[in-house]
Amino acid sequence: MKRGLMHCWSAAYEDAVREAFVKAGVNLDYFKYPVSDYNNDENVIHAVENYFKKYADAGSPCEFVFSVNYIPVLSKVCQRTGVRYISWSVDSPLATIYSKTITNPCNYFFTFDKVQAEEAISLGAPHVWHMPLGTGMKELPKPQEYKADVSFMGNLYNSDNTDMFSCIHTFPDWLSGYFNGIMQAQLQIYGYNFLSDVISEEIWKETKKAVVINNSPEYVDAYKQHFLDMLNRHISRMERKKVLETIGTKRRIDLYTGSDLSELQAPGIVNRGYADYFEDMPVIFNTSKINLNITSKSIISGIPLRVFDIMGCGGFVLSNYQPELAELFEDGREVVLYESISDMEDKIEYYLAHEEERREIARRGCEKVQGRYRFEMRVSEILKAVFGDGE
């Protein structure tokens, strides 16, 4: 039986991932500690080193450390002690992959996004795998009575922390107009992010004059990637506002979010507030006729966790087109994809009017997720990739 240590930082789904390691036969311990310094947090270093010493002295040495998302300080301590460090990225972009520690031989980096996997390889990461996400949710019985026609659960990206582009006031007018123009164009396109292709080197030079992004010497220069993330988050804010208001002008949409709703103007948007991940969310997904997925523009190709959770609960997913979603699930049989906001409107009306077809799509989606994409299956694949035997 392998022994491992999992670092937890209070992500809601960590308990389900931890349980998956135990089901895979791992003797797993864990510690919850908020990282104050992702690069050199001494408290994290001491906690991990003390754990290593305790079990080494007992004759049962730790074979790996695991975390959701890549944390450089964990890589540092594992590299120094000769222990494997396994991380599974659930966010994109993930700023920490630009840490110079990404090249450490101890790293085993898994990511849900193919584009992010390619980026990690280009940065010199030694062991990289594309690993789509999964779910720890249990399938719920088919509801006899639905509580909502259309629901959406997610961030609106309208705070200063999530939309830093809106806080920039140093652009000359022409540059501000340029960025606003390309963002409006990107807003219309699904399945292909062209922002990096249309920003010339001259534009980048002018942008760096107007906006300074401080970079730690422990990180490679990733100015372009960080600025593109700002643009993508701002587009996500615009998109979610437009989608929700488009629906809310014609019908009710139940919105579950902790974001400020003051900028939303449609009368049909009903603020349902925060929903607990384990207690509330499965019921919401299961008892909503249509669950929207509006993927953040920062996720270039991957499938958000939300999609797997909705399907795992037996819910129906209506999502923007996303390359990997179209690869893993069959459009019109296990999931329904839209390619424009008008297409989304049409499909909402169609599937609300065709209940049996909608229920059958939800059933097939749930069957695939529960059969192939539960966390314990994903974790077993991770262990097999790292250790070769899956034990």
Side-chain angles (χ1 to χ4, degrees), residues 112 131-137 277 285 302-314 317 324-325 328-329 365-366 368-370 372-375 378:
F112 77 113
M131 179 66 69
L133 299 175
T135 188
M137 295 295 167
Y277 186 83
F285 290 158
I303 306 172
L305 183 67
R306 180 194 298 110
V307 171
F308 291 98
D309 283 339
I310 294 171
M311 289 187 179
C313 298
V317 178
E324 292 183 41
L325 187 50
L328 266 61
F329 297 96
C366 181
K368 176 173 278 190
V369 167
Q370 291 292 343
R372 302 186 191 179
Y373 297 105
R374 290 197 57 78
F375 278 143
R378 306 275 83 187

Side-chain angles (χ1 to χ4, degrees), residues 56-194:
D57 290 347
S60 179
C62 180
E63 295 179 70
F64 70 92
V65 173
F66 175 85
S67 69
V68 173
N69 286 344
Y70 179 77
I71 302 176
V73 67
L74 293 177
S75 178
K76 284 184 177 181
V77 70
C78 287
Q79 180 65 20
R80 187 165 64 247
T81 53
V83 175
R84 292 177 175 90
Y85 172 44
I86 306 170
S87 60
W88 190 9
S89 169
V90 301
D91 291 328
S92 181
L94 186 62
T96 51
I97 69 169
Y98 297 101
S99 164
K100 293 176 182 177
T101 62
I102 197 67
T103 62
N104 284 345
C106 68
N107 292 336
Y108 293 80
F109 180 70
F110 295 81
T111 173
F112 77 113
D113 188 284
K114 287 182 179 179
V115 174
Q116 188 176 83
E118 293 168 0
E119 181 75 353
I121 291 170
S122 74
L123 291 167
H127 312 107
V128 179
W129 289 265
H130 170 242
M131 179 66 69
L133 299 175
T135 188
M137 295 295 167
K138 295 180 180 178
E139 179 181 357
L140 298 181
K142 184 170 64 175
Q144 299 302 309
E145 181 178 350
Y146 287 98
K147 297 180 179 179
D149 281 351
V150 185
S151 296
F152 175 69
M153 185 180 297
N155 197 316
L156 301 186
Y157 294 103
N158 57 4
S159 69
D160 289 348
N161 289 332
T162 54
D163 183 17
M164 290 181 285
F165 182 83
S166 291
C167 301
I168 299 173
H169 305 291
T170 52
F171 286 131
D173 289 344
W174 71 270
L175 191 55
S176 178
Y178 175 81
F179 284 126
N180 284 324
I182 63 172
M183 285 190 293
Q184 286 291 342
Q186 181 66 78
L187 185 61
Q188 312 303 319
I189 304 299
Y190 291 85
Y192 172 56
N193 192 304
F194 58 72

Side-chain angles (χ1 to χ4, degrees), residues 281-309:
M281 191 179 74
V283 177
I284 293 166
F285 290 158
N286 184 258
T287 59
S288 297
K289 293 180 180 178
I290 293 176
N291 293 280
L292 277 180
N293 173 58
I294 313 170
T295 308
S296 167
K297 292 295 186 185
S298 296
I299 301 175
I300 305 301
S301 70
I303 306 172
L305 183 67
R306 180 194 298 110
V307 171
F308 291 98
D309 283 339

Side-chain angles (χ1 to χ4, degrees), residues 229-245:
D229 179 38
M230 283 192 250
L231 296 180
N232 281 315
R233 286 176 181 266
H234 188 71
I235 297 169
S236 296
R237 175 180 184 171
M238 293 191 295
E239 180 180 26
R240 293 188 176 188
K241 181 177 187 296
K242 187 172 183 180
V243 166
L244 295 171
E245 288 185 338

